[in-house]
Amino acid sequence: MPTSYKRQLAAIFAVILLSTAVWAAEGQTAGNSGSINGTVLDPTGAVVPNATVEIHNPVSHFDRSTTTDKSGSFSIPNVPFNPYHVTVTAEGFAATAQDVDVRSVVPLSISVSLQVLGSTTSVTVTDAGDLVENDSSFHSDIDRSSFEKIPLESSSPVSALVTQSTPGIAADSNGLFHGLGDHAENSFSVDGQPITDQQSKVFSNQIPLDSVQSLEVISGAPPAEYGGKTSVVIVATTRSGQGVTTPHGSVTTSYGSFGSSNVAAELAYGGKNWGNFISVGGLNSGRFLDPP
């Protein structure tokens, strides 16, 4: 094995060990996410076990599904603030749907009543429109389902994602993003924790994209709760292992120009009221503008 290649691998694993980040959620995750809890009942008021509950936002493309337990209860944790369609289906019952709006870390509780599926089914079509947000700020919702569809550079994936998915934001030749106004007025809010320092690769390492569940990029006038910044506010909700009772993870590697080699791994595991999510990543590059 060539010496240069050995050094390259050693550098990658060294960076991996130094860049390990762990996010743990004990109980209800605070910050920019809430939870949806509820019970599914039949027409007599009896509970319905093994019913499928799905939530979906057609704008951010956030999707989650779960099944009710033997008591007819369900819980969907770590849900970013947004309105959602809730659809409930069960064998022998007609599907039902309703809209909910998650805007607080306080768990949102709903009760769903299913109707017995008859021999004939009638469909009533109404022009109810799609989900409408009452948020007056100009913003873009980006979920993980969009991350894989957008080509991102490996050294500054968060900056690249913000630039390519949000109107009114431009990138310079070094991959830094510039919002409407002075780029020094940009700010991050990670799980409710404001970060006013620069998050570009010139000044510091960015939060790893693998640790992010969704982004809300406010590119208009930021609301008062985000402090005195006057340009772009990036509201990040991190991923959680809460509710992931079966360990789930992945390992990815890549190699590109300037001798850039990249390796990343992630693992999620948790229970009903707790969860751990671990993200590990390393980048080795011969391009002097990339971060160490």
Side-chain angles (χ1 to χ4, degrees), residues 18-292:
L18 293 175
S19 61
T20 302
V22 179
W23 285 265
E26 297 291 341
Q28 172 59 38
T29 303
N32 304 317
S33 64
S35 64
I36 301 176
N37 305 327
T39 305
V40 179
L41 307 173
D42 66 12
T44 66
V47 298
V48 180
N50 298 320
T52 301
V53 182
E54 299 178 346
I55 65 171
H56 171 65
N57 183 297
V59 178
S60 68
H61 302 291
F62 182 91
D63 295 280
R64 280 292 183 273
S65 65
T66 186
T67 57
T68 56
D69 57 21
K70 61 182 180 181
S71 64
S73 301
F74 68 90
S75 178
I76 304 177
N78 203 39
V79 179
F81 295 166
N82 262 322
Y84 297 95
H85 289 310
V86 179
T87 304
V88 181
T89 57
E91 185 177 358
F93 295 91
T96 185
Q98 67 182 81
D99 292 343
V100 298
D101 196 359
V102 179
R103 290 295 172 189
S104 170
V105 297
V106 178
L108 179 64
S109 296
I110 61 175
S111 179
V112 181
S113 180
L114 298 180
Q115 300 299 318
V116 177
L117 187 64
S119 57
T120 60
T121 302
S122 61
V123 178
T124 303
V125 179
T126 59
D127 186 13
D130 215 326
L131 293 178
V132 177
E133 289 191 76
N134 296 322
D135 189 348
S136 60
S137 64
F138 173 53
H139 67 277
S140 300
D141 293 317
I142 315 164
D143 188 59
R144 287 202 63 82
S145 59
S146 300
F147 293 4
E148 299 177 355
K149 301 176 184 177
I150 301 175
L152 305 174
E153 57 178 284
S154 58
S155 61
S156 303
V158 176
S159 293
L161 180 64
V162 171
T163 301
Q164 298 184 51
S165 60
T166 309
I169 297 181
D172 60 20
S173 58
N174 293 328
L176 308 182
F177 64 87
H178 298 265
L180 302 173
D182 184 2
H183 73 277
E185 290 298 310
N186 297 334
S187 177
F188 277 81
S189 176
V190 181
D191 288 338
Q193 177 65 44
I195 303 176
T196 57
D197 295 334
Q198 286 286 327
Q199 288 293 299
S200 68
K201 60 187 178 182
V202 175
F203 298 93
S204 64
N205 289 328
Q206 290 186 337
I207 58 175
L209 188 61
D210 288 340
S211 70
V212 178
Q213 174 60 57
S214 67
L215 292 176
E216 180 184 36
V217 184
I218 304 174
S219 48
E225 61 263 32
Y226 297 110
K229 294 295 184 178
T230 59
S231 186
V232 176
V233 176
I234 302 165
V235 183
T237 300
T238 59
R239 300 170 70 182
S240 171
Q242 186 177 357
V244 185
T245 55
T246 301
H248 179 77
S250 65
V251 177
T252 58
T253 59
S254 63
Y255 186 84
S257 57
F258 299 99
S260 298
S261 51
N262 189 19
V263 60
E266 60 187 51
L267 177 65
Y269 177 68
K272 182 178 180 180
N273 298 316
W274 64 276
N276 289 311
F277 179 81
I278 302 173
S279 176
V280 183
L283 170 67
N284 184 49
S285 174
R287 184 174 183 265
F288 74 96
L289 292 175
D290 286 332

